[in-house]
């Protein structure tokens, strides 16, 4: 079969115009047989034409060897066969030439015209030769006057039609196979492209899951741990001066530590089991997407147990007040029920903003404002500059709190803004659509 494009270039391993050595050997063998046939028939042609026998033999051998170029120039081979038809030589040349022509990629009109010329030439030569034989024998044909035309037509059709039809069939089958190969190559390329895109999407999903796991663990644990550090610092400061307050702070630290450990233990337990109910087999790695969903499920359950909703803002603010922060909470509008993800996101924004105040502006006056509007809910946490004498608790910061808040708000179609104020403090504002989720 023939090939196209890069495959054709790769398949060209034979000499000159042959794709393979096998094809070159086949054409050389056919050319040798055709040269022998035409050379033998050249003896009679030389006698009839009054030429020397070696000239007729050489002419026949040269014409018959034209099959050597049948793949490169099939039209030339057929024209040579038509040209030597009056010399009554080249049957093999005619048959193989017509087959090669019909199997080629040439237009059908050219194939039909050359096949018609070959058939007409064979018909005329067969009729003339039959009339000459009858005239030389001196006896009429045994089956009547219709024998000569019938013989001529049968000979012309027998020499021309089979190779042409076979060549057309082989050419059509070859083109069909090439089309199927091209479609298979195209499909393979598409599958490879899809596989590359799937790998890219998988990598993107893995990165998203890592980000979500980090965000969920930060939201669940960081706030309580930060408050524990603040209370521990306050406990250290008042331990000797006010033992009663120290005991109270110690109790708060213990409660918050237990809550943080409970949430962290639950989350890690779900991550280990994969689905939260059945233990995963150690030999089978858990996909990262399942880990992400497990982390989200753990965080959601921890949230559900602790009541992370707007109704718990008073408790959240109370915890910060207990840690020594001056917090003012104001609520505008009529409270109502929102979707669970809206309330959880609003709660987390306020929680993270208060945590940042503990970390970076200990002792600063803080204002928490919540506004219930017709189509949205807005929240704002703003703190004044910290007092100069405020103790530095040196809480570590990974710089991901604001990023996580913004991701949560934007995911619900809201707006998030944060930045320093003109007075030296810091402000965090978020607006969430009431219908989100």
């Amino acid at each position: 079969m023939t090939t196209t494009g890069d495959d054709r270039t790769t398949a060209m391993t034979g000499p000159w115009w042959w794709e393979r050595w096998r094809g070159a050997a086949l054409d050389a063998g056919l050319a040798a047989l055709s040269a022998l046939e035409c050379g033998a028939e050249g003896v009679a042609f030389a006698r009839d034409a009054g030429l020397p026998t070696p000239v007729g033999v050489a002419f026949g051998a040269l014409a018959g060897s034209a099959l050597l170029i049948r793949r490169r120039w099939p039209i030339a081979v057929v024209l040579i066969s038509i040209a030597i038809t009056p010399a009554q030589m080249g049957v093999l040349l005619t048959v193989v030439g017509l087959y090669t022509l019909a199997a080629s990629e040439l237009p059908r009109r050219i194939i039909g015209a050359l096949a018609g010329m070959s058939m007409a030439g064979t018909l005329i030569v067969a009729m003339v030769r039959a009339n000459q034989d009858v005239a030389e024998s001196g006896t009429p044909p045994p089956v009547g006057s219709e024998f000569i035309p019938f013989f001529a037509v049968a000979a012309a059709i027998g020499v021309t039609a089979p190779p042409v039809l076979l060549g057309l069939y082989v050419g059509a089958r070859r083109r069909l196979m090439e089309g199927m190969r091209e479609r298979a190559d195209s499909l393979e390329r598409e599958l490879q492209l899809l596989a590359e895109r799937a790998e890219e999407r998988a990598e993107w999903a893995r990165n998203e899951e890592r980000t979500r796991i980090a965000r969920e663990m930060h939201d669940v644990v960081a706030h309580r741990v930060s408050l524990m550090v603040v209370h521990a610092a306050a406990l250290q400061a008042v331990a000797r001066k006010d033992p009663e307050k120290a005991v109270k702070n110690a109790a708060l630290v213990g409660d918050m530590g237990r809550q943080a450990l409970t949430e962290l233990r639950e989350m890690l337990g779900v991550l280990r089991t994969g689905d939260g109910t059945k233990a995963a087999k150690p030999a089978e790695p858990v996909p990262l997407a399942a880990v992400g969903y497990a982390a989200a499920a753990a965080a959601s359950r921890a949230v559900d147990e602790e009541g992370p909703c707007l109704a718990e803002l008073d408790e959240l603010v109370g915890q910060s007040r207990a840690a020594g922060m001056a917090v003012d909470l104001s609520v505008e509008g009529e409270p109502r029920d929102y979707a669970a993800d809206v309330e959880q996101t609003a709660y987390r924004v306020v929680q993270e903003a208060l945590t940042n105040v503990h970390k970076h502006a200990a002792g600063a006056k803080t204002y928490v404002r919540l506004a219930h509007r017709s189509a949205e809910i807005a929240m704002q946490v703003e703190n004044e500059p910290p007092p100069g004498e405020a103790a530095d608790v040196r809480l570590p910061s990974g710089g991901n709190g604001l990023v996580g808040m913004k991701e949560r708000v934007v995911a619900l179609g809201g707006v998030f803004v944060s930045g320093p104020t003109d007075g030296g403090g810091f402000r965090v504002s978020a607006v969430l659509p009431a219908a989100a989720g």
Side-chain angles (χ1 to χ4, degrees), residues 54-66:
V55 174
V57 173
F59 173 77
L62 181 63
S65 62

Side-chain angles (χ1 to χ4, degrees), residues 369-400:
R369 300 181 180 90
L370 184 67
H372 299 276
R373 300 170 184 171
S374 58
E376 62 188 16
I377 178 174
M379 65 225 66
Q380 178 177 289
V381 179
E382 179 179 350
N383 63 274
E384 298 177 352
E389 66 277 6
D392 183 9
V393 295
R394 292 184 176 88
L395 289 176
S397 176
N400 296 318

Side-chain angles (χ1 to χ4, degrees), residues 10 12 37 42 46 52 78 80 97 164 201 218 299 309 323 429:
T10 305
M12 293 290 289
E37 177 201 354
V78 175
I80 292 173
V164 171
R201 288 195 296 268
H218 179 277
C309 58
S429 301

Side-chain angles (χ1 to χ4, degrees), residues 65-288:
S65 62
L67 282 181
L68 198 63
I69 61 173
R70 71 183 184 95
R71 297 177 190 264
R72 186 68 179 271
W73 295 291
I75 294 179
V77 174
V78 175
L79 290 176
I80 292 173
S81 69
I82 294 174
I84 65 174
T85 298
Q88 301 180 28
M89 63 174 64
V91 176
L92 180 61
L93 178 66
T94 300
V95 172
V96 177
L98 288 174
Y99 165 80
T100 306
L101 178 70
S104 67
E105 301 293 335
L106 293 171
R108 293 294 178 85
R109 61 178 183 275
I110 296 178
I111 297 174
L114 292 176
M117 292 171 58
S118 179
M119 180 180 291
T122 303
L123 176 65
I124 294 173
V125 170
M127 186 172 293
V128 171
R129 183 61 181 174
N131 287 326
Q132 288 178 352
D133 292 342
V134 170
E136 290 175 0
S137 65
T139 58
V143 292
S145 59
E146 294 84 2
F147 174 76
I148 293 178
F150 174 79
F151 170 77
V153 171
I157 294 177
V159 172
T160 306
V164 171
L165 294 177
L166 180 61
L168 290 175
Y169 167 75
V170 172
R173 184 175 180 274
R174 180 183 302 161
R175 287 188 291 273
L176 175 63
M177 296 301 295
E178 289 178 355
M180 294 177 63
R181 184 183 298 110
E182 290 177 359
R183 286 194 293 271
D185 293 340
S186 177
L187 180 60
E188 183 178 359
R189 288 192 295 269
E190 291 179 1
L191 291 177
Q192 184 177 1
L193 181 60
L194 289 175
E196 293 175 357
R197 291 180 177 176
E199 181 62 26
E200 292 176 358
R201 288 195 296 268
E203 181 64 24
W204 175 84
R206 285 191 289 268
N207 293 333
E208 287 294 313
E209 294 305 328
R210 292 189 185 100
T211 302
R212 185 166 67 170
I213 292 171
R215 185 170 60 243
E216 296 294 342
M217 295 189 70
H218 179 277
D219 290 342
V220 169
V221 179
H223 177 71
R224 299 193 185 280
V225 174
S226 298
L227 290 179
M228 289 171 59
V229 175
V230 173
H231 281 291
L235 177 63
Q236 183 180 7
V238 302
R240 295 181 180 180
K241 298 179 181 179
D242 191 349
E244 184 177 353
K245 187 174 183 180
V247 172
K248 182 179 179 181
N249 286 342
L252 288 173
V253 171
D255 291 341
M256 291 181 182
R258 282 188 292 272
Q259 292 174 358
L261 285 175
T262 300
E263 294 172 355
L264 183 59
R265 188 179 295 113
E266 181 180 0
M267 179 179 294
L268 294 178
V270 175
L271 290 176
R272 289 194 184 97
T273 59
D275 59 359
T277 55
K278 297 181 181 179
K281 296 181 181 179
E284 298 180 0
V286 179
L288 185 57

Side-chain angles (χ1 to χ4, degrees), residues 2 15 17 33 41 79 88 105 120 172 177 204 217 246 260 269 277 320 338 342 361 391 404 408 424:
T2 61
W17 56 82
L33 290 176
E41 293 171 342
L79 290 176
Q88 301 180 28
E105 301 293 335
M177 296 301 295
W204 175 84
M217 295 189 70
T277 55
S320 295
Y338 298 96
V342 173
R408 283 180 175 274

